[in-house]
Amino acid sequence: MKKIILSFSLIASMSVFSQEHFSGISTSKRGGLLNAANNPAELANMTTKCEVNVFNFSVAMANNKLSVSDLTSGDNIEDKLFEGNDPVNLRLDTQFFGPSFAFKKGKWGFGLNSSAYLKANVVNVDAKLGEAISNGELSNLLTQTSLSSNENQRLNATTWGELSFNVARNLMDSPKHKINVGTNIRLLFPGAYANFSASNLNGTLVNNFGDISLINASANLNISYAGVLANDFSDQGNYNEFFSQGINGYAFDLGFNYRLKDENDANSYKLNTGLSIKNLGAMTFKSDNNLSKNYSLNIDGIESLDINQFENVQSMEEIEAILNDPANAGILQTTSSSADVKIKLPTVINAYADLRLHKKWFVTGTINQKISDDTESDVTTTQNSYSLIPRFSSGWFEAYAPLAANEISGFTSGIGFRLAGFFIGSNSAISALASDGKQADFYLGVRFGF
């Protein structure tokens, strides 16, 4: 279990990255497939007849415990991760956009995208419980620690691929106003999944000179897995499974776009706004080793659960074996079990407004607000995020400086550039270097229009 928990931190330390993907470039005046991924209605605003996306990559990490220097140095990560009383939250989120194509014809815009996703999360894990699992055998103390949480504490990871069809339609295009609508229809290819969660955990941790046990406790547990993540949760190579299970899920995005045009400049606008609802859908994993099982934990009297037995666990299958051990039959009862592992995507409302201040100077405000409860065990996670992005934008060159905040790591500031079809940026490079923040990120891409 120690390796499972720390695998998130180790992956993050190799990647060292933040949250809102492609911030700045996804609301660029240039338009294109990245804008359509943010809001499908934007595809009708492409500045070229056709666009080819060669490769786009964004990797993102945010946490509430570890600074950038902690991650890069690698020293005492587990001790720092479980310091204090605040629950541990860590989000690793990676997006790959592969070869994609879009074109405009009349009032219509069409696109075809290929993409892959990786999400790994530590959600609301009690720092005292995490410390006991991580360092219990090294302890020389005799202590008792109370645990009381109404949260759903989760270790969770998901990988999948997508093939997306984009359609946008211009509804009105007058000299002053333009209105577009659009949708993304996404075919989902489940890759691998793993989840271990404990909700409403209450009890007492007893440390008897390194022998850690849980007494007088109750909780609801869930263990779910599919694909290679069942076998070894901490092997980074297992996070590369994206399209392995074929099409077995669908999702939709819906978008609306309004533009206040500049009557004196056909290549610009005074205001561009959009509203989209993203990730309306789910996918079902269908590998041979699928499992989704719920347990009820009840410990009273002289009974106890040996926490040390989780110390060297590296896979979901090993956790399941411990939970099903006859020695634990008196305190753990299976409440439901299924071979179906169905996972919902995190539904998000995205809203933005890009205002031209003067000639080539703009400022963009964005809101990404989740409307699904990603503490549930059958939902992939996301974050609420907000940003303000001043930018300079010309035909071939663009520079912008995102100022943002998310619910896990707080305020960030970054910088990004576009030169023709190449772009590179970070949502938090400045804040990470200046204040050693708990978030950092990086993205880049190549595309061209004709």
Side-chain angles (χ1 to χ4, degrees), residues 170-187:
N170 172 245
L171 299 181
M172 184 182 78
D173 193 359
S174 70
K176 288 187 177 182
H177 309 284
K178 185 177 182 181
I179 295 176
N180 305 320
V181 294
T183 185
N184 295 331
I185 303 170
R186 296 153 55 190
L187 307 180

Side-chain angles (χ1 to χ4, degrees), residues 131 135-136 138-145 204-213 215:
E131 196 277 335
N135 298 320
L138 304 177
S139 176
N140 59 359
L141 301 175
L142 181 61
T143 61
Q144 290 193 6
T145 304
T204 302
L205 277 176
V206 177
N207 181 357
N208 187 10
F209 300 106
D211 292 328
I212 311 295
S213 59
I215 64 172

Side-chain angles (χ1 to χ4, degrees), residues 259-296:
R259 177 170 287 190
L260 177 61
K261 300 168 68 174
D262 185 342
E263 298 173 80
N264 299 316
D265 186 351
N267 296 318
S268 190
Y269 50 78
K270 296 179 180 178
L271 176 68
N272 187 57
T273 65
L275 178 69
S276 61
I277 302 176
K278 301 167 61 177
N279 298 330
L280 297 166
M283 56 187 161
T284 301
F285 291 80
K286 55 182 181 180
S287 58
D288 294 336
N289 64 348
N290 275 15
L291 177 76
S292 179
K293 187 178 287 189
N294 294 306
Y295 297 85
S296 175

Side-chain angles (χ1 to χ4, degrees), residues 29-348:
K29 186 169 71 71
R30 177 190 182 276
L33 282 163
L34 269 181
N35 300 62
N38 193 45
N39 179 356
E42 286 282 359
L43 202 62
N45 290 329
M46 280 202 312
T47 54
T48 58
K49 289 289 185 182
C50 301
E51 179 174 273
V52 175
N53 179 46
V54 180
F55 178 75
N56 297 331
F57 170 75
S58 173
V59 63
M61 191 284 291
N63 81 101
N64 66 334
K65 293 282 187 172
L66 303 172
S67 68
V68 173
S69 62
D70 293 331
L71 294 171
T72 53
S73 68
D75 295 334
N76 300 318
I77 286 180
E78 58 199 273
D79 293 333
K80 295 176 180 178
L81 192 63
F82 301 120
E83 282 181 349
N85 295 319
D86 291 337
V88 178
N89 280 282
L90 189 150
R91 306 285 194 273
L92 175 66
D93 193 340
T94 302
Q95 294 186 7
F96 307 87
F97 286 95
S100 306
F101 177 74
F103 68 94
K104 287 199 312 183
K105 184 173 179 60
K107 295 185 175 183
W108 293 87
F110 301 94
L112 177 64
N113 301 273
S114 60
S115 54
Y117 299 83
L118 181 162
K119 291 178 179 286
N121 310 280
V122 175
V123 183
N124 294 326
V125 170
D126 191 302
K128 292 172 288 188
L129 178 61
E131 196 277 335
I133 294 173
S134 179
N135 298 320
E137 67 178 11
L138 304 177
S139 176
N140 59 359
L141 301 175
L142 181 61
T143 61
Q144 290 193 6
T145 304
S146 295
L147 301 176
S148 180
S149 173
N150 295 322
E151 303 288 349
N152 188 20
Q153 304 179 48
R154 301 177 68 192
L155 304 176
N156 173 272
T158 317
T159 66
W160 75 97
E162 292 186 3
L163 189 63
S164 177
F165 301 91
N166 319 120
V167 180
R169 177 68 159 86
N170 172 245
L171 299 181
M172 184 182 78
D173 193 359
S174 70
K176 288 187 177 182
H177 309 284
K178 185 177 182 181
I179 295 176
N180 305 320
V181 294
T183 185
N184 295 331
I185 303 170
R186 296 153 55 190
L187 307 180
L188 308 183
F189 297 75
Y193 181 75
N195 182 82
F196 181 55
S197 61
S199 61
N200 299 313
L201 174 60
N202 294 276
T204 302
L205 277 176
V206 177
N207 181 357
N208 187 10
F209 300 106
D211 292 328
I212 311 295
S213 59
L214 182 64
I215 64 172
N216 300 323
S218 62
N220 297 312
L221 308 181
N222 170 267
I223 182 168
S224 303
Y225 54 73
V228 295
L229 286 177
N231 305 320
D232 193 339
F233 202 73
S234 57
D235 183 352
Q236 295 173 27
N238 287 342
Y239 292 84
N240 297 328
E241 293 283 336
F242 297 112
F243 293 87
S244 61
Q245 297 186 34
I247 300 174
N248 209 26
Y250 306 90
F252 303 90
D253 306 328
L254 303 173
F256 171 85
N257 168 245
Y258 166 74
R259 177 170 287 190
L260 177 61
K261 300 168 68 174
D262 185 342
E263 298 173 80
N264 299 316
D265 186 351
N267 296 318
S268 190
Y269 50 78
K270 296 179 180 178
L271 176 68
N272 187 57
T273 65
L275 178 69
S276 61
I277 302 176
K278 301 167 61 177
N279 298 330
L280 297 166
M283 56 187 161
T284 301
F285 291 80
K286 55 182 181 180
S287 58
D288 294 336
N289 64 348
N290 275 15
L291 177 76
S292 179
K293 187 178 287 189
N294 294 306
Y295 297 85
S296 175
L297 172 69
N298 290 285
I299 307 173
D300 53 26
I302 62 172
E303 296 174 323
S304 65
L305 177 65
D306 179 12
I307 298 299
N308 294 82
Q309 63 188 317
F310 295 97
E311 172 70 23
N312 295 311
V313 166
Q314 299 184 52
S315 72
M316 292 292 110
E317 291 177 331
E318 290 179 78
I319 295 177
E320 185 203 1
I322 292 172
L323 297 179
N324 291 326
D325 190 319
N328 295 322
I331 60 175
L332 279 162
Q333 292 79 42
T334 301
T335 58
S336 65
S337 181
S338 172
D340 294 330
V341 179
K342 184 175 182 179
I343 306 303
K344 292 177 285 188
L345 299 185
T347 304
V348 174

